[in-house]
């Protein structure tokens, strides 16, 4: 490890630490922060990073590979099926129309179709990182615009796979292919053989994912060592990527498929949260190296061309998106958000362009120019969104009329997280599910997770007290967290993590008993449910009935008992730290409770339920 | 003096009631109105009697807002009347806590007004069916105002609902400013009629 490596690492990190927060503060996405940081440290501004930027970019491309793995993990087949119309309709219309228009423009401008096709496909992509980030930050992921955007991005993510698979088939002459890093088994083979190999490799991957990887992960998870699991996760991703490179396929494609295969397994959340930090860092590095490799001398040769092209692409993309949105009946204000939000060229363009460059379809200088165009369009999105918000929306946006006459929609998607799915948690889960609410369930017993999944519950394996796992379970968007873990200590730990990291999340906590409840009340949890209280009172009410009480009277006594007891609990929780006083006050409280109940028994015949008590009414009215 | 209005509202399946969902919004928007959504507050029928008595004491116009089921109010509202209007407090010897206050009903009914006539299928006027409520008010020393009634709720269009909402809003403006007393109000069958005249 040479000193220059450390210095380089320092430069990149410093740039990230300085520029990403600045971009965030200015309301721009973090992707832009990385890009600008890269530009500034690159050879054309400060020159901290020279030609090695390109090498770093190749390494950092692995961030894109990891991102595709994570996107694959998000795509469980059921969700895909639910969104099939939006994805296939909106998405395909957008990609096809945009590509065709861009191809037409390029061919008119005198370029060859071999260049026009990959560039057009690259330009049809929008940035998942920028668009989703923006929608999330504006909290509009669940609106019509948010869902439409997500569908289109999803279609593009999927479309990348065939695009990357078929790019090698474009015949090129004139430009000699750059020597690629690895020699694949297939180089030099005829095209039909390549296609067959690709299909076979994909099939093998799907089978292996299901029958090899999941049992392997199950085996590792039994060891219960976290670093071992992380290592296994990385092992799978890197392994798949290496395998794909060996057969001459895109590693991004392979890991994406691996992700899809694992999306349905109980390890999904665990994998997500383990890979996420690596992806984040590498992707940041990738964006920075893209910034650093933008060749400004090329741009300065013909700045007008680059800028004009960037503007033209944004206009085309916006127009196509707007037309597609209209066709799918988005209201105009939603359509503006949707169309502006996706009007940039996405990070996949970098992948497609550099891949095409490696294949020798596009020359290095063309590829640099197109990357510069891509980066510039990324810069425009936050500005366009701001213009939309300040200028367009207030004037042209049709505000949807608030119509409370229609039944309220209950958001059933991921609004509840249940931590702990033993007898207690699973009862809650069943009740919610019977009412059409699918909770995200976290449990750390992998055998139980397996069993419950077979019955059809959506249960994820993992330690619920871990911040990253909570995050990938959707704690940032969820409304309710039900803390139902068996061990009170683990429950406390979970609650304090949630309290400090997701203050918006309402907590409902299981308490084993009175003392557990004190602890929880002290942690400022208001919704505390003692598992010993309600069942015991229920039994008590039945016992009273057995002894000759009328059922309704016994029931009302039970209701009142719970009410008094809850009140007493809160009073005692405040006092219990002074031990002496605690002991005293428990006795006091019990006496009080007894007294209260004694009174109550008479009262319920006299004051409280007075209208029903003919004796009492007669007495008050003074007549017989 | 602006009236302090207490709305006792009972609907066991509010999420399916297009009309009432719209109407109770108006209560929430006004500072001088306290809304008690009984089925939300006491789903177990375990009414906090002391709290309800306090609220009654603090307000001078009590609105009972409910749909009409089998010519009466939903069971939780009857439970409320049973439990809260205690002997010796609301009526009977020493029971003067509600004296001088006013009570009114806001009622939604699926049947059309024509059904509540001698020749209609219910054979009696709505006011006749509401006599128990009227007499409850009387016994507690309260003035009973004519009810505001929305008939034929099953057939209302969204526009109709909006019209009624606006009318209720106007009614609340009027009541907030102070209830007209005497002949003006006691003569009418429904408060609806009074809103159409100039008060």
């Amino acid at each position: 490890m040479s000193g220059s490596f450390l210095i380089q690492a320092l430069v990149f990190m410093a740039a990230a630490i300085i520029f990403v927060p600045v971009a965030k503060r200015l309301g721009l996405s973090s992707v832009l922060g990385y890009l600008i940081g890269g530009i500034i440290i690159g050879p054309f501004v400060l020159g901290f990073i020279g030609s090695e930027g390109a090498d770093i970019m190749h390494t950092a491309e692995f961030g894109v590979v990891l991102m595709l793995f994570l996107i694959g993990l998000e795509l469980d087949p059921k969700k895909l099926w639910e969104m099939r119309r939006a994805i296939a309709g909106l998405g395909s219309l957008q990609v096809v129309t945009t590509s065709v228009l861009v191809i037409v423009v390029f061919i008119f401008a005198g370029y060859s179709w071999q260049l026009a096709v990959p560039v057009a496909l690259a330009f049809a992509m929008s940035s998942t990182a920028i668009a989703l980030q923006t929608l999330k930050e504006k909290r509009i992921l669940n609106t019509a615009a948010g869902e439409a955007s997500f569908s289109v991005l999803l279609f593009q993510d999927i479309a990348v796979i065939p695009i990357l698979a078929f790019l090698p088939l474009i015949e090129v002459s004139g430009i000699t292919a750059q020597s690629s890093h690895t020699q694949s088994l297939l180089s030099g083979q005829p095209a039909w053989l390549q296609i067959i190999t690709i299909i076979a490799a994909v099939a093998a991957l799907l089978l292996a994912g299901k029958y090899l990887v999941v049992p392997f992960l199950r085996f590792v998870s039994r060891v219960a060592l976290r670093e071992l699991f992380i290592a296994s996760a990385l092992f799978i991703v890197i392994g798949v990527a290496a395998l794909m490179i060996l057969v001459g396929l895109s590693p991004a494609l392979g890991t994406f498929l691996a992700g899809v295969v694992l999306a349905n397994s109980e390890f999904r959340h665990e994998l997500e949260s383990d890979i996420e930090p690596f992806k984040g860092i590498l992707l940041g590095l990738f964006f920075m190296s893209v910034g650093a490799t933008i060749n400004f001398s090329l741009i300065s040769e013909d700045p007008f061309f680059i800028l004009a092209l960037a503007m033209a692409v944004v206009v085309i993309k916006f127009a196509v998106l707007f037309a597609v949105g209209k066709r799918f009946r988005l209201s105009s204000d939603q359509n503006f958000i949707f169309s502006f939000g996706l009007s940039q060229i996405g990070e996949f363009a970098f992948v497609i362009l550099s891949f095409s460059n490696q294949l020798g379809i596009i020359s290095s200088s063309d590829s640099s120019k197109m990357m510069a165009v891509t980066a510039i369009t990324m810069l425009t999105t936050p500005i366009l969104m701001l213009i939309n918000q300040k200028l367009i929306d207030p004037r042209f946006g049709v505000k949807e009329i608030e119509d409370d006459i229609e039944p309220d929609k209950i958001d059933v998607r991921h609004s509840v997280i249940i931590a702990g799915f033993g007898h207690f948690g699973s009862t809650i889960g069943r009740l919610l599910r019977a009412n059409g609410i699918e909770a995200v369930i976290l449990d750390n017993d992998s055998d139980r997770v397996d069993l419950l999944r077979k019955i059809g519950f959506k249960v994820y394996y993992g330690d619920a007290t871990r911040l990253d796992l909570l995050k990938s379970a959707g704690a940032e968007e969820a409304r309710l967290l039900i803390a139902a873990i068996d061990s009170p200590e683990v429950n406390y730990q979970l609650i304090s993590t949630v309290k400090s990291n997701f203050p918006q999340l309402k907590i409902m906590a299981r308490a084993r008993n009175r003392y557990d409840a004190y602890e929880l009340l002290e942690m400022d949890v208001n919704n505390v449910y003692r598992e010993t209280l309600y069942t015991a009172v229920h039994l008590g009410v039945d016992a009273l009935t057995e002894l000759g009480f009328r059922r309704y009277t016994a029931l009302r006594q039970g209701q009142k008992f719970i009410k008094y007891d809850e009140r007493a609990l809160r009073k005692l929780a405040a006092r219990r730290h002074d031990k002496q006083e605690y002991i005293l006050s428990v006795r006091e409280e019990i006496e009080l409770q007894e007294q209260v109940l004694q009174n109550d028994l008479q009262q319920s015949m006299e004051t409280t339920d007075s209208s029903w008590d003919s004796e009492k009414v007669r007495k008050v009215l003074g007549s017989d | 003096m602006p009236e302090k209005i207490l709305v006792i509202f009972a609907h066991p399946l509010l999420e399916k009631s297009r009309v009432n969902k719209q109407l109770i919004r108006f209560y929430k928007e006004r500072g001088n109105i306290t809304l008690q959504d009984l089925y939300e507050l006491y789903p177990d029928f375990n009414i906090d009697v002391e709290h309800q008595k306090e609220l009654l004491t603090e307000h001078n116009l009590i609105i009972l807002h409910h749909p009409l089921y089998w010519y009466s109010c939903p069971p939780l509202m009857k439970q409320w009347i049973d439990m809260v209007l205690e002997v010796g407090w609301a009526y009977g010897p020493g029971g003067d806590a509600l004296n001088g206050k006013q009570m009114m009903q806001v009622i939604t009914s699926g049947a059309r007004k024509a059904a509540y006539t001698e020749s209609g299928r219910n054979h009696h006027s709505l006011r006749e069916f509401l006599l128990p409520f009227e007499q409850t008010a009387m016994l507690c020393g309260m003035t009973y105002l004519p009810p505001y009634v929305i008939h034929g709720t099953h057939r209302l269009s969204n526009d109709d609902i909006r019209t009624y909402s606006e009318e209720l809003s106007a009614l609340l403006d009027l009541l907030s400013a102070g209830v007209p007393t005497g002949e003006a109000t006691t003569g009418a069958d429904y408060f609806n009629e009074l809103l159409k005249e100039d008060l």
Side-chain angles (χ1 to χ4, degrees), chain A residues 111-130:
Chain A
Y111 285 93
S112 69
W113 69 268
Q114 284 96 335
L115 176 108
V117 169
V119 168
L121 290 172
F123 283 4
M125 300 292 135
S126 302
S127 168
T128 307
I130 291 178

Side-chain angles (χ1 to χ4, degrees), chain A residues 401-408 552 556 559-560 563 567 607-612 616-617 620-621, chain B residues 15 18 21-22 25 44-46 48-49 79 81-83 85-88 91-93 158 161-162:
Chain A
I401 306 154
E402 256 186 74
D403 209 350
D404 272 3
I405 295 173
E406 297 309 316
D408 300 328
Y552 189 63
R556 287 196 51 76
Q559 283 179 332
K560 282 172 201 160
K563 225 172 182 174
R567 228 175 273 163
T607 336
T608 321
D609 299 340
S610 59
S611 303
W612 297 333
K616 161 88 192 228
V617 174
V620 175
L621 295 180
Chain B
E15 55 272 44
R18 298 183 306 148
K21 240 179 3 180
Q22 197 72 356
R25 285 207 316 192
D44 56 359
F45 276 54
N46 192 14
D48 185 342
V49 175
Q79 178 97 342
I81 293 170
D82 279 8
M83 306 288 275
L85 305 184
E86 287 176 343
V87 65
Y91 71 98
N158 286 356
I161 294 175
R162 273 193 203 97

Side-chain angles (χ1 to χ4, degrees), chain A residues 298-353:
Chain A
L298 264 178
I299 298 178
S300 60
E301 274 170 28
D302 201 354
F304 176 74
F305 170 75
I306 304 273
L307 281 177
L309 186 56
M311 292 308 136
V313 171
V314 171
V315 169
I316 290 176
K317 293 197 75 158
F318 175 81
V320 170
L321 286 161
F322 201 79
V324 170
K326 197 118 210 160
R327 165 97 174 55
F328 279 80
R329 299 213 185 89
L330 285 179
S331 67
S332 43
D333 53 344
Q334 294 279 309
N335 204 358
F336 273 114
I337 295 175
F338 166 70
S339 310
F340 279 124
L342 297 180
S343 66
Q344 75 296 102
I345 307 175
E347 52 276 357
F348 280 124
F350 296 129
V351 180
I352 294 176
L353 289 171

